[in-house]
Amino acid sequence: MTKDMPYAEVIGDPIAHSKSPMIHKFWLDRLAMEADYRAFLVTPVELSGYIDQRQADPAWRGCNVTIPHKIAMLDLVADPGGVRQKIGAMNTVVRQADGSLIGTNTDAAGFLAPIADSDWSGKHAILIGAGGAARAVIFALKQAGIGEITIIARSGLKASGLLMQSSVKGSILPMDARLPEADLLINASPLGMTGQPPLAVDLAPLPTDALVYDLVYAPLETGLLRAAKKRDLAVVDGLDMLIGQAALAFELFFGATPPMEHDDELRKLLVA
Ligand code: NAP
């Protein structure tokens, strides 16, 4: 990579598992664009120094933001779209031509895309986790007209804050609670991810037409999705959301639409 070549990054801690570089590089390659995208480890204490340092680099087009920085980032860059108030978490930072930095969130649209064909109005969703991704999920579900959300989280306080902010009807349960009956179960915690503890949940209370959606994509088939398939429940894995949110970020970083006609090839590459 030459010094002036445009580049973007995905930052987090840990970050080695991220599939974002593979996706963005795949699109850059297909479009024959001279640019790069890489993973970069940034710990919480390094975050504001990272932003200052990258802001001074005109070749840096911006970054995707993952665990544990999505909320901290709200305090570091401008928020013209009102992401702080609407979602409360940022997953994308873009460096403008004048050097200013703006943040946005592409997770909500990326989450909804694979389930947008179903009618969720008045339905009941269970959401596991109350972090950055959960905030985007709640915003997206509210837009889709969801009737009720039960949040299962280890911090009841955090979860009730999210519910209150969203003004969606709902309730909070502890991690070891028995699942209520619901139309949609979403895992927005890192449980089940490679290197993390498994997600211990009994799916028996879910009706046969429920959908189970795991945001975790490494591994692609999590223990949760395996258990759901065993019960013949419909499943959505984390890859669709990952590709959807990445496509929006790619346009912002590189000013080009990703060649989505190669999506099947990309999915195969990501699961190889
Ligand atoms: P985050 O902001 O760190 O939030 C994680 C949430 O999970 C927090 O509520 C946290 O609880 C909870 N949690 C963490 N470890 C736990 C444990 N051992 N037991 C119970 N709860 C635990 O992370 P995030 O950005 O929301 O990401 C969450 C997951 O979604 C990750 O696996 C990430 O890879 C995935 N994700 C996927 C996509 C995609 O495109 N497919 C997009 C975004 C995120 P506390 O609040 O108590 O810390």
Side-chain angles (χ1 to χ4, degrees):
M1 182 178 136
T2 60
K3 193 176 149 285
D4 299 326
M5 185 191 279
Y7 70 103
E9 293 171 310
V10 56
I11 62 161
D13 179 16
I15 200 60
H17 69 280
S18 175
K19 292 191 187 289
S20 294
M22 204 185 267
I23 299 172
H24 286 261
K25 280 182 175 179
F26 176 87
W27 288 330
L28 287 171
D29 187 50
R30 288 295 175 283
L31 294 172
M33 287 177 72
E34 291 271 314
D36 193 26
Y37 185 104
R38 63 197 188 195
F40 194 78
L41 177 73
V42 177
T43 64
V45 289
E46 294 167 338
L47 186 61
S48 98
Y50 165 85
I51 286 294
D52 288 346
Q53 198 259 332
R54 289 295 193 269
Q55 183 167 18
D57 179 1
W60 182 76
R61 295 300 164 87
C63 62
N64 286 119
V65 180
T66 187
I67 295 176
H69 302 314
K70 290 186 185 183
I71 296 168
M73 193 57 87
L74 287 165
D75 293 329
L76 300 178
V77 300
D79 175 22
V83 164
R84 177 188 287 275
Q85 204 251 326
K86 286 185 196 150
I87 302 181
M90 255 172 200
N91 79 329
T92 307
V93 173
V94 183
R95 187 183 190 277
Q96 308 280 87
D98 65 1
S100 62
L101 303 185
I102 57 166
T104 186
N105 191 311
T106 61
D107 277 341
F111 164 78
L112 207 52
I115 58 168
D117 286 346
S118 303
D119 179 8
W120 298 105
S121 50
K123 299 279 174 66
H124 180 192
I126 303 169
L127 173 63
I128 301 172
R135 288 165 184 259
V137 167
I138 293 173
F139 177 75
L141 289 175
K142 187 181 173 187
Q143 284 199 316
I146 203 83
E148 183 183 353
I149 302 178
T150 299
I151 303 183
I152 298 184
R154 64 180 174 186
S155 164
L157 206 63
K158 253 190 195 175
S160 57
L162 290 195
L163 263 188
M164 238 148 59
Q165 197 185 6
S166 72
S167 66
V168 174
K169 181 182 156 201
S171 52
I172 316 294
L173 291 174
M175 291 302 294
D176 58 358
R178 184 175 163 79
L179 293 185
E181 206 179 309
D183 308 289
L184 175 61
L185 171 69
I186 304 142
N187 176 34
S189 82
L191 295 174
M193 186 168 130
T194 308
Q196 298 282 336
L199 174 59
V201 64
D202 176 10
L203 301 180
L206 296 184
T208 51
D209 59 350
L211 174 74
V212 177
Y213 191 153
D214 201 336
L215 267 57
V216 171
Y217 55 83
L220 190 60
E221 190 179 72
T222 58
L224 174 68
L225 295 190
R226 258 198 314 279
K229 284 178 188 169
K230 247 188 204 162
R231 275 214 50 211
D232 276 335
L233 301 178
V235 299
V236 175
D237 63 51
L239 221 47
D240 282 337
M241 174 173 172
L242 187 73
I243 293 173
Q245 60 80 27
L248 297 167
F250 186 89
E251 293 203 35
L252 293 169
F253 297 146
F254 302 114
T257 306
M260 302 302 265
E261 65 273 19
H262 299 295
D263 259 14
D264 286 347
E265 194 187 338
L266 176 59
R267 271 189 77 94
K268 278 189 197 132
L269 202 70
L270 289 166
V271 297

